Amino acid sequence: MNFDFSSEQKEAADQVGRLLANSGSLSECRRALDGEIVMSALAWRGLAEVGFQALLIDEAFGGFGMAPVDICLISREIGYSLAPVPSLSSVYIASAAIQRHGDQELQEAWLPKLAAGEVVGTFALPVVGPVDGSSKGDCNWVLNASELAIPDARAADLMLLADRSGADFSCYLIKLKQDAVTVKDGRSCDPSRPLDLVDLAGAQAVKLDAVSAADWQTIVDRAAIFLAFEQVGAATRALEMARDYALQRYSFGRPIGSYQAIKHKLADVYALIEIAVSHAYYGAWALTSEPDAVPLAAAGARVAASRALRLAAQENIQVHGGIGYTWESDCQLFYRRARYWNIVLGSDAEWRCKILDQLRAGAGTRYAP
Amino acid sequence: MDFRDTSEETQYRAAARKWLSEQASRDWNTSHITDEMEAKYAAAKAYQRERVKAGYGAIALPREFGGGGGTPMEQIIFRQEEVQFNLPDIGTTLGVGLAMCLPTIIHNGTPEQRDRFVKPGILGEEVWCQLFSEPTGGSDVASARTSAVQDSSNWVLQGQKVWTSGAQYSDFGIITTRTDPDVPKHKGLTVFVVDMKAPGIEIRPIRQMSGESEFSEVFFDAVRVPDTYRLGEVNGGWKVALSTLMHERAGIGGKSTNLGWADLLKIAEQLSNDQHDVFANPSHACAIVDSWLLEFGCDLIALRGQTALSRGGQPGPEQSVTKLIKASLLQQNGYHGIDLAGAAALGTDRHDIDLWNKVEHAWMFGAGLRIGGGTDEILRNVVAERVLGLPGDVRLDKDVPFRDVPS
Ligand SMILES: Cc1cc2nc3c(=O)[nH]c(=O)nc-3n(C[C@H](O)[C@H](O)[C@H](O)COP(=O)(O)OP(=O)(O)OC[C@H]3O[C@@H](n4cnc5c(N)ncnc54)[C@H](O)[C@@H]3O)c2cc1C
């Protein structure tokens, strides 16, 4: 029985944790809230120095070619720091898609720069409106679409667009820095994790023929597991913040943390975090050892982590009382992030349906240790 | 990161499985929920004798006392395999002795006490119970009022215990008593082994709301207990009691046989047909998903604990949440099983549902599990204080002589 990460993986994560602790992530989030930045270039550079963006990219393209399980604890540290960085968009999705499904030319063009953190990639949320495309021969397409919801588009250089709007599934790679593309602030619920709106007016795109709908779902499932580690990291931080405040704030002559209403609330948050951490671990195991277990493991990790972070963030505000409801308090940073992460890969309701489908198909017992 | 056994563990598991399948092919009384308790105990004792012969009787207890001398991990592996077979129920019969009382004696007893009690206990020849809770307090373990007064080489016990699981079937018990009421409560407790057949003890089974009588109230009227049965120092009983409670809460477990998500799924499948798809109802769908998330989450937490044990380390604080989560979950599962059955669940027999016994049991026993072995509230206190480092409750009785504490 070895349901744990290795000491090397833990040490690597500790190193990233120390780095992020020094990069003032919460004040970077606040600058994003005030509209000064769309991501923390400082934290992103720091992460690039320790090789985070390169971890899962092949050595041939400037990466380290590590296994997915090697990134999980680092993701947890990123979540714990709440650093406003496009890890989901650029590392877990865009880089992964190009690494797994791009042709040689695309890989050479993009992976080394993505690995170095020099360019940022992103993805489109499931498209609602139609994408109107016409082929220009080979893989070259011209696309028209309006108001695509894209995380991090203002920071990104390229995006992947998985289009389910037509009869067939198509996946395109689009450079964002071209005249036919306009990007505007979509007023994200968490400005430290932007959601932007993108118009394509005859934009040049490359179609990735090799990507099927199932492939895309696998990319999203894997990303959901990495993101779950970020979510439990953030939840742990929110719980610690609440605990620290509960120890220091007095009411009726005693620390509020000595009242059971507060103690029991935080015990419940702790319990849900441990459930979520354990599901995330299971996701990490599935990524490494059992690809067929990934759909259920990813859905479990995602739903459990979303739930833990939602509770941790909302009860952190409650424990802080009035000050927790102010703009100045950092409580809102966790509250906003919880909502953003809850939705960005699809709602709770959608992922819960996936769990049920998987359980009915027998995955709950087939891959259970 | 992987779930595979080490090569020693693989061997151990294979041997256990082989042995268990041989045992399961015998003609045992394997009823867990039954009114015929004598038969249930007899079967448990007979099966325990076989377990001891094969080295599975008390796997992690030291060999010098008749245990298996194995590791906690081996104990877990055996249990994981054992629940997959239909065998007599040791847990609710001999479990209190094997998991709580005997380890308490091993850790706190004199050499003579260990010699006298541990071996027969492990063999299942003597059945044990735990006499902590009293009518005036169960959560407040240190508030025991049953008094013990020394009379030369004996102690004389006077008072009452309650909720004592299996008292009516037990030969011995571990009991908390008040030996000095003039000091604060934690400082005036002494723990004894008590012979449940001694004169002056009266055991009255209590009928639980489920109709069964698994626990009793126990009256002590001038019951004489030899000083050689004292566990630990006079007035040093709090330490001993804590060690019993630690063993109670240390169950890092195999899977339970209680109603779980997989049962709910099966019931939903059983009740679905061409005209009626139970899963199409979002409320039922949600119940099954929630149940899986928590139950499998607890299984995974246990695997993290087992990883620590497998490496020879100590399980982490996360283990402390599983009893809290599972108790409420069992109660909820019971409700959802009932809800799945619909109007006909107003009755208590559903012969059309194979798992109905489990539903009925979950609905009742879920309520009890949230109380026994530490209530939900006490467990939340433990997490908040020991894991999160929040302050202890205000204790009005802490520094007051016990005799002045109101009840
Ligand atoms: C099935 C079953 C088997 C049992 N077997 C045994 C046994 O073998 N031996 C034995 O000694 N006992 C046994 N018990 C008793 C059990 O340990 C107690 O019932 C339990 O500890 C609660 O004590 P109580 O019943 O006196 O309730 P109380 O302690 O009076 O509690 C009543 C309510 O108040 C709450 N409460 C109490 N103190 C606090 C506090 N400090 N903070 C917040 N809330 C608090 C409790 O959580 C509960 O909700 C068993 C109980 C059950 C249900």
Side-chain angles (χ1 to χ4, degrees):
Chain A
M1 179 61 57
N2 178 23
F3 189 37
D4 195 3
F5 291 89
S6 70
S7 48
E8 292 79 31
Q9 286 157 349
K10 288 180 188 170
E11 273 161 33
D14 284 349
Q15 191 197 352
V16 173
R18 283 192 299 275
L19 170 107
L20 290 170
N22 294 329
S23 65
S25 291
L26 294 187
S27 44
E28 292 281 271
C29 286
R30 205 157 270 290
R31 287 179 65 205
L33 244 60
D34 294 336
E36 291 170 26
I37 54 173
V38 291
M39 63 177 270
S40 171
L42 184 68
W44 194 243
R45 261 201 314 277
L47 285 169
E49 277 160 28
V50 294
F52 166 71
Q53 293 91 331
L55 268 181
L56 301 186
I57 292 175
D58 273 0
E59 283 162 301
F61 305 111
F64 295 109
M66 307 277 266
V69 67
D70 293 316
I71 211 169
C72 293
L73 289 184
I74 296 177
S75 300
R76 180 152 86 171
E77 292 297 336
I78 294 174
Y80 183 88
S81 78
L82 217 66
V85 291
S87 44
L88 171 68
S89 314
S90 193
V91 177
Y92 310 152
I93 296 196
S95 300
I98 297 171
Q99 169 74 64
R100 289 166 75 90
H101 303 292
D103 61 20
Q104 180 86 10
E105 195 184 326
L106 281 181
Q107 290 182 331
E108 277 170 5
W110 292 109
L111 289 179
K113 290 182 196 150
L114 284 163
E118 286 164 14
V119 304
V120 168
T122 188
F123 67 107
L125 299 186
V127 180
V128 187
V131 176
D132 163 35
S134 47
S135 170
K136 299 287 165 216
D138 292 338
C139 316
N140 297 316
W141 286 63
V142 170
L143 301 183
N144 290 295
S146 63
E147 301 225 323
L148 298 174
I150 316 284
D152 294 304
R154 278 171 294 158
D157 303 277
L158 75 140
M159 76 164 180
L160 287 147
L161 169 60
D163 176 22
R164 287 192 175 82
S165 62
D168 301 317
F169 175 88
S170 321
C171 182
Y172 304 98
L173 188 150
I174 302 155
K175 281 193 215 176
L176 288 170
K177 307 264 151 65
Q178 55 172 302
D179 289 344
V181 174
T182 42
V183 179
K184 64 172 192 262
D185 182 354
R187 307 189 59 79
S188 169
C189 60
D190 175 8
S192 73
R193 294 288 65 242
L195 182 78
D196 300 325
L197 295 175
V198 172
D199 290 331
L200 307 178
Q204 315 264 351
V206 178
K207 190 166 174 193
L208 302 182
D209 281 325
V211 188
S212 68
D215 292 334
W216 184 258
Q217 187 56 49
T218 300
I219 292 169
V220 172
D221 283 349
R222 292 162 63 99
I225 293 168
F226 301 136
L227 185 62
F229 277 93
E230 293 200 14
Q231 288 171 299
V232 295
T236 302
R237 177 83 172 272
L239 173 60
E240 286 175 11
M241 199 176 149
R243 191 262 324 266
D244 292 348
Y245 190 75
L247 284 170
Q248 154 225 312
R249 172 76 180 174
Y250 276 65
S251 165
F252 298 91
R254 314 159 33 182
I256 57 169
S258 68
Y259 292 102
Q260 283 191 1
I262 302 288
K263 288 164 74 169
H264 290 190
K265 185 191 288 305
L266 297 185
D268 285 340
V269 172
Y270 175 78
L272 279 194
I273 290 176
E274 288 307 324
I275 291 282
V277 166
S278 303
H279 275 285
Y281 272 43
Y282 184 64
W285 167 82
L287 284 178
T288 320
S289 311
E290 187 53 77
D292 290 343
V294 166
L296 178 60
R302 174 149 178 77
V303 174
S306 293
R307 183 173 169 189
L309 177 55
R310 194 180 70 208
L311 190 73
Q314 90 190 17
E315 299 312 310
N316 186 30
I317 297 175
Q318 185 66 18
V319 167
H320 277 75
I323 194 78
Y325 188 57
T326 60
W327 186 260
E328 282 72 23
S329 163
D330 286 337
C331 292
Q332 64 153 321
L333 302 178
F334 294 86
Y335 196 61
R336 289 176 181 279
R337 187 67 65 86
R339 170 173 159 192
Y340 182 93
W341 277 339
N342 240 333
I343 298 299
V344 68
L345 285 181
S347 69
D348 238 28
E350 291 167 41
W351 286 88
R352 295 169 68 88
C353 286
K354 290 183 211 223
I355 293 178
L356 186 70
D357 291 344
Q358 288 290 321
L359 293 179
R360 293 186 70 182
T365 39
R366 198 170 312 126
Y367 310 110
Chain B
M1 170 147 326
D2 70 69
F3 295 114
R4 278 169 302 180
D5 291 331
T6 63
S7 61
E8 294 91 60
E9 288 166 357
T10 308
Q11 276 175 20
Y12 190 87
R13 190 183 296 280
R17 193 175 294 170
K18 179 160 171 289
W19 184 83
L20 285 161
S21 64
E22 285 160 18
Q23 292 300 314
S25 67
R26 298 173 51 175
D27 187 21
W28 294 107
N29 176 337
T30 59
S31 46
H32 281 229
I33 307 163
T34 171
D35 292 332
E36 286 161 23
M37 296 298 283
E38 308 284 337
K40 179 172 168 168
Y41 272 87
K45 287 178 175 186
Y47 173 48
Q48 176 65 4
R49 271 197 300 279
E50 296 302 321
R51 295 209 312 179
V52 171
K53 267 192 241 160
Y56 298 129
I59 293 167
L61 294 184
R63 195 164 277 160
E64 47 182 317
F65 307 116
T71 63
M73 195 59 204
E74 288 171 349
Q75 172 82 62
I76 288 165
I77 291 173
F78 181 80
R79 184 68 196 137
Q80 287 169 343
E81 296 300 319
E82 191 180 41
V83 290
Q84 299 177 43
F85 292 91
N86 195 20
L87 283 161
D89 178 14
I90 302 261
T92 66
T93 50
L94 307 176
V96 175
L98 293 172
M100 296 169 67
C101 298
L102 302 178
T104 304
I105 291 172
I106 289 174
H107 287 110
N108 302 277
T110 62
E112 293 75 25
Q113 288 168 341
R114 293 171 179 170
D115 286 347
R116 164 63 192 86
F117 294 119
V118 179
K119 208 167 240 169
I122 289 178
L123 280 167
E125 287 164 0
E126 291 170 350
V127 179
W128 286 76
C129 62
Q130 176 212 9
L131 302 139
F132 283 13
S133 301
E134 298 194 3
T136 50
S139 300
D140 188 359
V141 177
S143 74
R145 283 165 191 274
T146 296
S147 69
V149 176
Q150 193 157 21
D151 175 15
S152 70
S153 63
N154 284 307
W155 293 80
V156 181
L157 271 54
Q158 190 73 35
Q160 186 194 342
K161 295 289 173 177
V162 72
W163 322 127
T164 314
S165 297
Q168 62 271 50
Y169 309 104
S170 292
D171 301 290
F172 290 96
I174 286 187
I175 186 169
T176 46
T177 66
R178 179 69 43 197
T179 38
D180 186 351
D182 295 319
V183 292
K185 64 179 184 180
H186 292 99
K187 299 190 174 132
L189 286 174
T190 305
V191 172
F192 295 94
V193 168
V194 57
D195 180 347
M196 295 300 287
K197 310 282 193 278
I201 295 187
E202 190 191 340
I203 302 172
R204 293 187 203 149
I206 300 172
R207 193 155 185 225
Q208 298 154 206
M209 71 174 193
S210 59
E212 301 146 327
S213 296
E214 287 162 321
F215 51 38
S216 295
E217 49 186 345
V218 184
F219 296 86
F220 294 83
D221 186 14
V223 175
R224 298 180 80 76
V225 174
D227 189 51
T228 52
Y229 277 22
R230 174 165 48 79
L231 285 175
E233 305 288 321
V234 174
N235 296 327
W238 180 238
K239 198 181 123 227
V240 182
L242 273 185
S243 99
T244 311
L245 293 178
M246 265 173 49
H247 288 110
E248 177 168 29
R249 290 173 192 167
I252 296 180
K255 285 189 68 68
S256 94
T257 50
N258 291 329
L259 185 76
W261 68 265
D263 299 314
L264 295 179
L265 187 77
K266 254 185 234 151
I267 295 173
E269 278 164 359
Q270 275 178 33
L271 295 175
S272 291
N273 54 42
D274 292 346
Q275 282 88 50
H276 178 59
D277 178 12
V278 172
F279 296 98
N281 182 314
S283 173
H284 293 321
C286 237
I288 294 168
V289 168
D290 277 331
S291 181
W292 175 78
L293 275 168
L294 291 179
E295 182 186 330
F296 189 52
C298 285
D299 292 346
L300 294 168
I301 289 177
L303 293 176
R304 289 163 63 197
Q306 288 164 28
T307 299
L309 289 174
S310 175
R311 294 173 177 168
Q314 283 300 314
E318 72 282 349
Q319 303 302 324
S320 60
V321 304
T322 55
K323 150 66 165 82
L324 175 63
I325 293 173
K326 280 179 161 179
S328 282
L329 181 60
L330 183 62
Q331 195 171 33
Q332 266 187 44
N333 284 343
Y335 279 115
H336 290 312
I338 287 165
D339 214 40
L340 278 165
L346 288 172
T348 54
D349 285 329
R350 279 295 299 256
H351 298 297
D352 58 326
I353 296 175
D354 296 343
L355 296 159
W356 192 248
N357 264 344
K358 276 179 132 181
V359 173
E360 286 286 347
H361 175 260
W363 178 63
M364 282 289 178
F365 185 60
L369 196 58
R370 292 182 56 197
I371 297 166
T375 65
D376 284 3
E377 291 73 21
I378 293 297
L379 294 179
R380 286 194 175 94
N381 276 351
V382 169
V383 170
E385 292 168 26
R386 310 254 173 85
V387 182
L388 300 178
L390 290 168
D393 281 357
V394 173
R395 298 246 156 82
L396 301 174
D397 57 357
K398 216 172 75 195
D399 304 312
V400 189
F402 182 71
R403 100 168 47 256
D404 300 331
V405 173
S407 72

